[in-house]
mmCIF file of all heavy atoms in Angstrom:
data_model
loop_
_atom_site.group_PDB
_atom_site.id
_atom_site.type_symbol
_atom_site.label_atom_id
_atom_site.label_comp_id
_atom_site.label_asym_id
_atom_site.label_seq_id
_atom_site.Cartn_x
_atom_site.Cartn_y
_atom_site.Cartn_z
ATOM 1 N N THR K 251 8.174 54.154 19.841
ATOM 2 C CA THR K 251 6.936 54.168 19.056
ATOM 3 C C THR K 251 5.866 53.290 19.695
ATOM 4 O O THR K 251 4.677 53.636 19.700
ATOM 5 C CB THR K 251 7.212 53.687 17.621
ATOM 6 O OG1 THR K 251 8.276 54.478 17.056
ATOM 7 C CG2 THR K 251 5.976 53.823 16.757
ATOM 8 N N THR K 252 6.270 52.155 20.251
ATOM 9 C CA THR K 252 5.307 51.294 20.949
ATOM 10 C C THR K 252 4.665 52.028 22.115
ATOM 11 O O THR K 252 3.449 51.939 22.333
ATOM 12 C CB THR K 252 6.001 50.014 21.447
ATOM 13 O OG1 THR K 252 6.556 49.304 20.331
ATOM 14 C CG2 THR K 252 5.017 49.114 22.182
ATOM 15 N N SER K 253 5.474 52.767 22.860
ATOM 16 C CA SER K 253 4.922 53.555 23.971
ATOM 17 C C SER K 253 3.923 54.581 23.454
ATOM 18 O O SER K 253 2.868 54.802 24.065
ATOM 19 C CB SER K 253 6.055 54.250 24.733
ATOM 20 O OG SER K 253 6.930 53.308 25.333
ATOM 21 N N ALA K 254 4.246 55.220 22.328
ATOM 22 C CA ALA K 254 3.330 56.206 21.757
ATOM 23 C C ALA K 254 2.028 55.545 21.313
ATOM 24 O O ALA K 254 0.928 56.085 21.523
ATOM 25 C CB ALA K 254 3.995 56.923 20.587
ATOM 26 N N LEU K 255 2.141 54.361 20.684
ATOM 27 C CA LEU K 255 0.944 53.651 20.229
ATOM 28 C C LEU K 255 0.052 53.267 21.407
ATOM 29 O O LEU K 255 -1.174 53.460 21.381
ATOM 30 C CB LEU K 255 1.348 52.394 19.453
ATOM 31 C CG LEU K 255 2.103 52.607 18.140
ATOM 32 C CD1 LEU K 255 2.571 51.267 17.588
ATOM 33 C CD2 LEU K 255 1.226 53.317 17.116
ATOM 34 N N LEU K 256 0.653 52.720 22.455
ATOM 35 C CA LEU K 256 -0.118 52.310 23.630
ATOM 36 C C LEU K 256 -0.731 53.515 24.332
ATOM 37 O O LEU K 256 -1.845 53.439 24.858
ATOM 38 C CB LEU K 256 0.780 51.533 24.594
ATOM 39 C CG LEU K 256 1.304 50.186 24.089
ATOM 40 C CD1 LEU K 256 2.245 49.559 25.107
ATOM 41 C CD2 LEU K 256 0.153 49.238 23.781
ATOM 42 N N THR K 257 -0.004 54.631 24.337
ATOM 43 C CA THR K 257 -0.524 55.838 24.981
ATOM 44 C C THR K 257 -1.794 56.310 24.290
ATOM 45 O O THR K 257 -2.811 56.586 24.943
ATOM 46 C CB THR K 257 0.542 56.954 24.942
ATOM 47 O OG1 THR K 257 1.671 56.536 25.713
ATOM 48 C CG2 THR K 257 -0.010 58.244 25.517
ATOM 49 N N LEU K 258 -1.759 56.411 22.965
ATOM 50 C CA LEU K 258 -2.954 56.850 22.244
ATOM 51 C C LEU K 258 -4.085 55.830 22.354
ATOM 52 O O LEU K 258 -5.261 56.202 22.431
ATOM 53 C CB LEU K 258 -2.610 57.094 20.770
ATOM 54 C CG LEU K 258 -1.720 58.310 20.480
ATOM 55 C CD1 LEU K 258 -1.455 58.422 18.990
ATOM 56 C CD2 LEU K 258 -2.369 59.589 20.999
ATOM 57 N N GLN K 259 -3.723 54.551 22.359
ATOM 58 C CA GLN K 259 -4.755 53.517 22.513
ATOM 59 C C GLN K 259 -5.453 53.647 23.859
ATOM 60 O O GLN K 259 -6.673 53.476 23.964
ATOM 61 C CB GLN K 259 -4.120 52.132 22.356
ATOM 62 C CG GLN K 259 -5.066 50.969 22.580
ATOM 63 C CD GLN K 259 -6.047 50.770 21.446
ATOM 64 O OE1 GLN K 259 -5.932 51.407 20.408
ATOM 65 N NE2 GLN K 259 -7.030 49.901 21.640
ATOM 66 N N LEU K 260 -4.694 53.959 24.899
ATOM 67 C CA LEU K 260 -5.279 54.117 26.227
ATOM 68 C C LEU K 260 -6.125 55.379 26.316
ATOM 69 O O LEU K 260 -7.222 55.364 26.873
ATOM 70 C CB LEU K 260 -4.177 54.150 27.285
ATOM 71 C CG LEU K 260 -3.520 52.811 27.619
ATOM 72 C CD1 LEU K 260 -2.272 53.016 28.460
ATOM 73 C CD2 LEU K 260 -4.498 51.902 28.354
ATOM 74 N N LEU K 261 -5.606 56.472 25.768
ATOM 75 C CA LEU K 261 -6.346 57.734 25.845
ATOM 76 C C LEU K 261 -7.631 57.661 25.035
ATOM 77 O O LEU K 261 -8.695 58.062 25.496
ATOM 78 C CB LEU K 261 -5.472 58.888 25.351
ATOM 79 C CG LEU K 261 -4.239 59.216 26.203
ATOM 80 C CD1 LEU K 261 -3.465 60.361 25.587
ATOM 81 C CD2 LEU K 261 -4.646 59.559 27.634
ATOM 82 N N ASN K 262 -7.521 57.170 23.821
ATOM 83 C CA ASN K 262 -8.696 57.026 22.952
ATOM 84 C C ASN K 262 -8.271 56.253 21.704
ATOM 85 O O ASN K 262 -7.447 56.748 20.934
ATOM 86 C CB ASN K 262 -9.253 58.398 22.556
ATOM 87 C CG ASN K 262 -10.620 58.278 21.904
ATOM 88 O OD1 ASN K 262 -10.953 57.254 21.324
ATOM 89 N ND2 ASN K 262 -11.414 59.325 21.994
ATOM 90 N N PRO K 263 -8.809 55.065 21.474
ATOM 91 C CA PRO K 263 -8.412 54.294 20.284
ATOM 92 C C PRO K 263 -8.613 55.051 18.978
ATOM 93 O O PRO K 263 -7.879 54.840 18.016
ATOM 94 C CB PRO K 263 -9.327 53.062 20.363
ATOM 95 C CG PRO K 263 -9.679 52.930 21.800
ATOM 96 C CD PRO K 263 -9.739 54.325 22.341
ATOM 97 N N ARG K 264 -9.591 55.942 18.941
ATOM 98 C CA ARG K 264 -9.819 56.715 17.715
ATOM 99 C C ARG K 264 -8.662 57.666 17.450
ATOM 100 O O ARG K 264 -8.348 57.976 16.287
ATOM 101 C CB ARG K 264 -11.131 57.480 17.819
ATOM 102 C CG ARG K 264 -12.362 56.580 17.889
ATOM 103 C CD ARG K 264 -13.653 57.391 17.866
ATOM 104 N NE ARG K 264 -14.824 56.526 17.938
ATOM 105 C CZ ARG K 264 -15.396 56.148 19.059
ATOM 106 N NH1 ARG K 264 -14.907 56.550 20.210
ATOM 107 N NH2 ARG K 264 -16.463 55.370 19.045
ATOM 108 N N LEU K 265 -8.032 58.157 18.528
ATOM 109 C CA LEU K 265 -6.862 59.023 18.352
ATOM 110 C C LEU K 265 -5.728 58.252 17.683
ATOM 111 O O LEU K 265 -5.001 58.798 16.838
ATOM 112 C CB LEU K 265 -6.398 59.565 19.707
ATOM 113 C CG LEU K 265 -7.260 60.643 20.364
ATOM 114 C CD1 LEU K 265 -6.689 60.996 21.736
ATOM 115 C CD2 LEU K 265 -7.331 61.894 19.489
ATOM 116 N N LEU K 266 -5.565 56.992 18.065
ATOM 117 C CA LEU K 266 -4.507 56.177 17.471
ATOM 118 C C LEU K 266 -4.768 55.963 15.984
ATOM 119 O O LEU K 266 -3.859 56.125 15.159
ATOM 120 C CB LEU K 266 -4.422 54.836 18.200
ATOM 121 C CG LEU K 266 -3.435 53.819 17.613
ATOM 122 C CD1 LEU K 266 -2.021 54.385 17.613
ATOM 123 C CD2 LEU K 266 -3.495 52.508 18.383
ATOM 124 N N ILE K 267 -5.991 55.595 15.630
ATOM 125 C CA ILE K 267 -6.322 55.387 14.214
ATOM 126 C C ILE K 267 -6.092 56.679 13.432
ATOM 127 O O ILE K 267 -5.522 56.665 12.327
ATOM 128 C CB ILE K 267 -7.781 54.925 14.077
ATOM 129 C CG1 ILE K 267 -7.993 53.582 14.802
ATOM 130 C CG2 ILE K 267 -8.162 54.804 12.611
ATOM 131 C CD1 ILE K 267 -7.180 52.458 14.249
ATOM 132 N N ALA K 268 -6.511 57.816 13.996
ATOM 133 C CA ALA K 268 -6.338 59.095 13.293
ATOM 134 C C ALA K 268 -4.863 59.430 13.107
ATOM 135 O O ALA K 268 -4.447 59.912 12.048
ATOM 136 C CB ALA K 268 -7.046 60.211 14.069
ATOM 137 N N ALA K 269 -4.036 59.172 14.143
ATOM 138 C CA ALA K 269 -2.609 59.477 14.040
ATOM 139 C C ALA K 269 -1.930 58.601 12.985
ATOM 140 O O ALA K 269 -1.085 59.079 12.209
ATOM 141 C CB ALA K 269 -1.946 59.285 15.401
ATOM 142 N N LEU K 270 -2.287 57.329 12.937
ATOM 143 C CA LEU K 270 -1.698 56.427 11.941
ATOM 144 C C LEU K 270 -2.145 56.795 10.526
ATOM 145 O O LEU K 270 -1.346 56.750 9.574
ATOM 146 C CB LEU K 270 -2.085 54.987 12.262
ATOM 147 C CG LEU K 270 -1.492 54.418 13.558
ATOM 148 C CD1 LEU K 270 -2.103 53.064 13.882
ATOM 149 C CD2 LEU K 270 0.024 54.320 13.482
ATOM 150 N N GLN K 271 -3.405 57.168 10.388
ATOM 151 C CA GLN K 271 -3.883 57.591 9.067
ATOM 152 C C GLN K 271 -3.183 58.882 8.626
ATOM 153 O O GLN K 271 -2.865 59.048 7.442
ATOM 154 C CB GLN K 271 -5.398 57.796 9.104
ATOM 155 C CG GLN K 271 -6.183 56.496 9.184
ATOM 156 C CD GLN K 271 -7.677 56.735 9.287
ATOM 157 O OE1 GLN K 271 -8.130 57.735 9.847
ATOM 158 N NE2 GLN K 271 -8.464 55.814 8.754
ATOM 159 N N THR K 272 -2.936 59.781 9.582
ATOM 160 C CA THR K 272 -2.205 61.014 9.256
ATOM 161 C C THR K 272 -0.793 60.699 8.796
ATOM 162 O O THR K 272 -0.281 61.303 7.838
ATOM 163 C CB THR K 272 -2.165 61.933 10.487
ATOM 164 O OG1 THR K 272 -3.508 62.254 10.874
ATOM 165 C CG2 THR K 272 -1.405 63.222 10.190
ATOM 166 N N TYR K 273 -0.151 59.730 9.461
ATOM 167 C CA TYR K 273 1.200 59.323 9.063
ATOM 168 C C TYR K 273 1.194 58.763 7.640
ATOM 169 O O TYR K 273 2.065 59.109 6.811
ATOM 170 C CB TYR K 273 1.721 58.276 10.049
ATOM 171 C CG TYR K 273 3.094 57.737 9.712
ATOM 172 C CD1 TYR K 273 4.239 58.438 10.065
ATOM 173 C CD2 TYR K 273 3.239 56.524 9.039
ATOM 174 C CE1 TYR K 273 5.501 57.942 9.750
ATOM 175 C CE2 TYR K 273 4.484 56.021 8.730
ATOM 176 C CZ TYR K 273 5.623 56.737 9.091
ATOM 177 O OH TYR K 273 6.864 56.250 8.773
ATOM 178 N N LEU K 274 0.235 57.917 7.338
ATOM 179 C CA LEU K 274 0.147 57.344 5.990
ATOM 180 C C LEU K 274 -0.155 58.415 4.944
ATOM 181 O O LEU K 274 0.442 58.415 3.857
ATOM 182 C CB LEU K 274 -0.932 56.256 5.957
ATOM 183 C CG LEU K 274 -0.651 54.990 6.782
ATOM 184 C CD1 LEU K 274 -1.869 54.083 6.784
ATOM 185 C CD2 LEU K 274 0.566 54.256 6.234
ATOM 186 N N ARG K 275 -1.063 59.321 5.267
ATOM 187 C CA ARG K 275 -1.377 60.389 4.309
ATOM 188 C C ARG K 275 -0.176 61.288 4.053
ATOM 189 O O ARG K 275 0.077 61.715 2.922
ATOM 190 C CB ARG K 275 -2.554 61.222 4.833
ATOM 191 C CG ARG K 275 -3.908 60.571 4.636
ATOM 192 C CD ARG K 275 -5.030 61.584 4.803
ATOM 193 N NE ARG K 275 -5.012 62.193 6.133
ATOM 194 C CZ ARG K 275 -5.670 61.723 7.171
ATOM 195 N NH1 ARG K 275 -6.408 60.614 7.045
ATOM 196 N NH2 ARG K 275 -5.617 62.325 8.334
ATOM 197 N N ALA K 276 0.592 61.568 5.133
ATOM 198 C CA ALA K 276 1.785 62.401 4.961
ATOM 199 C C ALA K 276 2.812 61.711 4.060
ATOM 200 O O ALA K 276 3.420 62.352 3.186
ATOM 201 C CB ALA K 276 2.400 62.718 6.326
ATOM 202 N N SER K 277 3.002 60.401 4.259
ATOM 203 C CA SER K 277 3.935 59.657 3.411
ATOM 204 C C SER K 277 3.460 59.636 1.965
ATOM 205 O O SER K 277 4.257 59.814 1.029
ATOM 206 C CB SER K 277 4.086 58.227 3.931
ATOM 207 O OG SER K 277 4.620 58.213 5.241
ATOM 208 N N LEU K 278 2.167 59.447 1.773
ATOM 209 C CA LEU K 278 1.614 59.436 0.417
ATOM 210 C C LEU K 278 1.741 60.797 -0.254
ATOM 211 O O LEU K 278 2.149 60.902 -1.414
ATOM 212 C CB LEU K 278 0.148 59.018 0.463
ATOM 213 C CG LEU K 278 -0.138 57.524 0.584
ATOM 214 C CD1 LEU K 278 -1.616 57.269 0.859
ATOM 215 C CD2 LEU K 278 0.287 56.800 -0.695
ATOM 216 N N THR K 279 1.416 61.854 0.479
ATOM 217 C CA THR K 279 1.483 63.204 -0.104
ATOM 218 C C THR K 279 2.910 63.565 -0.480
ATOM 219 O O THR K 279 3.175 64.088 -1.578
ATOM 220 C CB THR K 279 0.919 64.222 0.902
ATOM 221 O OG1 THR K 279 -0.429 63.863 1.228
ATOM 222 C CG2 THR K 279 0.924 65.616 0.303
ATOM 223 N N SER K 280 3.853 63.285 0.443
ATOM 224 C CA SER K 280 5.261 63.590 0.149
ATOM 225 C C SER K 280 5.751 62.791 -1.052
ATOM 226 O O SER K 280 6.446 63.325 -1.931
ATOM 227 C CB SER K 280 6.117 63.288 1.373
ATOM 228 O OG SER K 280 5.710 64.065 2.476
ATOM 229 N N SER K 281 5.412 61.504 -1.087
ATOM 230 C CA SER K 281 5.864 60.651 -2.192
ATOM 231 C C SER K 281 5.256 61.097 -3.514
ATOM 232 O O SER K 281 5.945 61.163 -4.549
ATOM 233 C CB SER K 281 5.505 59.195 -1.908
ATOM 234 O OG SER K 281 6.124 58.742 -0.726
ATOM 235 N N LEU K 282 3.975 61.406 -3.492
ATOM 236 C CA LEU K 282 3.301 61.820 -4.719
ATOM 237 C C LEU K 282 3.893 63.123 -5.253
ATOM 238 O O LEU K 282 4.161 63.264 -6.457
ATOM 239 C CB LEU K 282 1.804 61.986 -4.446
ATOM 240 C CG LEU K 282 0.911 62.281 -5.640
ATOM 241 C CD1 LEU K 282 1.001 61.162 -6.668
ATOM 242 C CD2 LEU K 282 -0.531 62.468 -5.187
ATOM 243 N N THR K 283 4.162 64.050 -4.342
ATOM 244 C CA THR K 283 4.740 65.336 -4.763
ATOM 245 C C THR K 283 6.147 65.158 -5.317
ATOM 246 O O THR K 283 6.506 65.694 -6.377
ATOM 247 C CB THR K 283 4.746 66.310 -3.577
ATOM 248 O OG1 THR K 283 3.404 66.477 -3.093
ATOM 249 C CG2 THR K 283 5.301 67.658 -3.993
ATOM 250 N N SER K 284 6.968 64.376 -4.594
ATOM 251 C CA SER K 284 8.365 64.211 -5.021
ATOM 252 C C SER K 284 8.480 63.426 -6.324
ATOM 253 O O SER K 284 9.284 63.765 -7.209
ATOM 254 C CB SER K 284 9.170 63.525 -3.911
ATOM 255 O OG SER K 284 8.631 62.244 -3.635
ATOM 256 N N VAL K 285 7.666 62.380 -6.492
ATOM 257 C CA VAL K 285 7.717 61.613 -7.733
ATOM 258 C C VAL K 285 7.218 62.459 -8.906
ATOM 259 O O VAL K 285 7.791 62.430 -10.012
ATOM 260 C CB VAL K 285 6.898 60.318 -7.597
ATOM 261 C CG1 VAL K 285 6.784 59.603 -8.946
ATOM 262 C CG2 VAL K 285 7.531 59.380 -6.584
ATOM 263 N N GLY K 286 6.169 63.222 -8.679
ATOM 264 C CA GLY K 286 5.680 64.093 -9.734
ATOM 265 C C GLY K 286 6.717 65.112 -10.152
ATOM 266 O O GLY K 286 6.893 65.405 -11.354
#
Side-chain angles (χ1 to χ4, degrees):
T251 306
T252 300
S253 297
L255 295 173
L256 294 177
T257 296
L258 290 180
Q259 176 73 8
L260 285 169
L261 294 179
N262 192 334
R264 295 185 180 90
L265 287 177
L266 175 60
I267 298 298
L270 293 172
Q271 288 177 329
T272 300
Y273 178 82
L274 293 173
R275 282 196 300 269
S277 298
L278 280 170
T279 302
S280 300
S281 300
L282 186 60
T283 302
S284 61
V285 172

